[in-house]
């Protein structure tokens, strides 16, 4: 925009700033009965109106930076409160016609050509479209991050270490072990065994459907790591079909004590603890 254009449009900006609290309150009153959260979004609404006003006299790049910052904060609030994206899109679009009318009203007082008026309206509409794009992108990124974090928490809970005695723990494994879950298994086993000061850890494989080379490799990484910090590992739940598979794959576990059942493994570790 040229300097002359900015001077002309200053009245539009001032008018929006002057009315922003009234416009924000009108929005709150209209929608409060449907969304209680609207009453808590007043500051975001006022910030949005300020950005809209500033965008009238700013170039598109400057306005886009302001909108992007606002969208990031707004998306974070919505995701944290488990609110739908529609709520933000509604906020963004609500003022399109209202501010459009302010633009028409203020520029009608000046000698402005249709071409100039069109350029201002187009510029403002582009800012709103930019806001829609940024809030959608920010919301999606935050939502994916939360889902990923929640999945990690679920995976972490799926490999818990249960203390049987002061020095003996049990790690019951359930389901398939993929690479990601195996990494969590390694982290949990080492961290919790050290935290609990365990001397023995029983890894129960009763609910693991398949033992292949990948799973075996991950298990041995855990075992080696535990041995390095002074924790003895016992494997239980080695069913006949799993034993046959391991033999067929050439997987050797000669240095690890194994038992068919968790009961046998627990009896073994308890007996050793009693002797100590």
């Amino acid at each position: 925009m040229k300097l002359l254009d900015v001077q002309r449009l200053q009245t539009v900006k001032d008018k929006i700033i002057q009315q922003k609290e009234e416009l924000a309150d009108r929005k709150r009153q209209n929608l409060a009965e449907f969304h209680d959260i609207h009453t808590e979004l007043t500051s975001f609404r006022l910030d949005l109106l300020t950005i809209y006003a500033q965008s009238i006299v700013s170039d598109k790049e400057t306005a886009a930076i302001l909108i992007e910052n606002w969208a990031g904060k707004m998306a974070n609030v919505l995701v944290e409160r488990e609110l739908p994206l529609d709520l933000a899109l509604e906020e963004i679009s609500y003022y399109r016609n209202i501010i459009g009318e302010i633009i028409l009203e203020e520029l009608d007082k000046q000698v402005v050509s249709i071409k100039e008026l069109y350029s201002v309206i187009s510029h403002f509409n582009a800012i709103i479209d930019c806001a829609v794009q940024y809030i959608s992108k920010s919301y999606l990124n935050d939502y994916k991050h939360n889902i990923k974090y929640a999945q990690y928490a679920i995976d972490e809970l799926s490999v818990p270490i249960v203390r049987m005695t002061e020095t003996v723990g049990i790690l019951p494994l359930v389901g398939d072990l993929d690479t990601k879950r195996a990494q969590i298994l390694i982290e949990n086993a080492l961290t919790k065994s050290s935290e609990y000061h365990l001397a023995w850890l029983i890894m129960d494989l009763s609910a693991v459907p398949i033992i292949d080379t990948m799973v075996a490799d991950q298990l041995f990484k855990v075992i080696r790591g535990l041995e390095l910090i002074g924790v003895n590992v016992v494997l239980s739940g080695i069913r006949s079909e799993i034993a046959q598979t391991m033999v067929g794959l050439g997987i050797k576990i000669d240095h690890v004590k194994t038992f068919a059942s968790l009961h046998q493994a627990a009896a073994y570790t308890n007996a050793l603890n009693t002797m100590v």
Side-chain angles (χ1 to χ4, degrees), residues 70-80 134-135 138-139 142:
W70 176 87
K73 295 176 182 177
M74 181 68 167
N76 185 257
V77 169
L78 293 179
V79 172
E80 283 186 355
Y134 279 132
I135 192 69
S138 296
Y139 184 90
D142 286 353

Side-chain angles (χ1 to χ4, degrees), residues 145-191:
H145 175 77
N146 273 22
I147 289 178
K148 185 176 181 180
Y149 182 82
Q151 185 60 54
Y152 183 89
I154 291 172
D155 289 339
E156 190 174 24
L157 288 172
S158 69
V159 285
I161 290 182
V162 181
R163 295 181 72 174
M164 187 172 67
T165 68
E166 285 295 319
T167 58
V168 179
I170 300 173
L171 176 57
L173 298 177
V174 179
D176 296 328
L177 283 176
D178 55 20
T179 304
K180 182 182 70 173
R181 190 157 176 254
Q183 183 59 41
I184 296 173
L185 166 62
I186 294 172
E187 293 173 3
N188 267 17
L190 293 175
T191 301

Side-chain angles (χ1 to χ4, degrees), residues 36-209:
D36 291 339
I37 190 63
H38 273 277
T39 59
E40 300 178 34
L41 295 180
T42 300
S43 62
F44 283 97
R45 194 173 297 120
L46 291 172
D47 288 344
L48 179 62
L49 284 164
T50 300
I51 292 171
Y52 279 164
Q54 183 62 42
S55 71
I56 299 296
V57 297
S58 302
D59 57 73
K60 187 175 180 180
E61 290 72 24
T62 301
I65 292 173
L66 296 173
I67 283 291
E68 185 175 13
N69 291 334
W70 176 87
K73 295 176 182 177
M74 181 68 167
N76 185 257
V77 169
L78 293 179
V79 172
E80 283 186 355
R81 300 294 297 273
E82 298 183 354
L83 296 169
L85 175 60
D86 291 353
L87 198 61
L89 298 179
E90 189 178 50
E91 290 283 341
I92 291 170
S93 301
Y94 178 76
Y95 300 105
R96 187 190 295 267
N97 292 334
I98 294 175
I99 293 180
E101 291 175 2
I102 293 176
I103 293 172
L104 290 173
E105 180 184 340
E106 290 301 311
L107 294 186
D108 188 50
K109 300 174 184 177
Q110 306 178 36
V111 181
V112 177
S113 67
I114 293 178
K115 184 177 180 180
E116 289 174 316
L117 177 61
Y118 176 78
S119 68
V120 175
I121 294 294
S122 295
H123 175 73
F124 178 64
N125 282 332
I127 295 304
I128 289 191
D129 292 339
C130 184
V132 169
Q133 178 184 352
Y134 279 132
I135 192 69
S136 300
K137 183 179 179 180
S138 296
Y139 184 90
L140 183 60
N141 287 340
D142 286 353
Y143 190 74
K144 284 181 177 179
H145 175 77
N146 273 22
I147 289 178
K148 185 176 181 180
Y149 182 82
Q151 185 60 54
Y152 183 89
I154 291 172
D155 289 339
E156 190 174 24
L157 288 172
S158 69
V159 285
I161 290 182
V162 181
R163 295 181 72 174
M164 187 172 67
T165 68
E166 285 295 319
T167 58
V168 179
I170 300 173
L171 176 57
L173 298 177
V174 179
D176 296 328
L177 283 176
D178 55 20
T179 304
K180 182 182 70 173
R181 190 157 176 254
Q183 183 59 41
I184 296 173
L185 166 62
I186 294 172
E187 293 173 3
N188 267 17
L190 293 175
T191 301
K192 292 299 182 181
S193 295
S194 178
E195 179 184 332
Y196 295 156
H197 303 291
L198 298 180
W200 293 87
L201 180 64
I202 302 171
M203 297 177 63
D204 184 58
L205 307 178
S206 301
V208 176

Side-chain angles (χ1 to χ4, degrees), residues 197-200 224-233:
H197 303 291
L198 298 180
W200 293 87
R224 285 193 294 269
L226 289 167
E227 288 174 344
L228 287 174
I229 63 173
V231 180
N232 299 295
V233 179

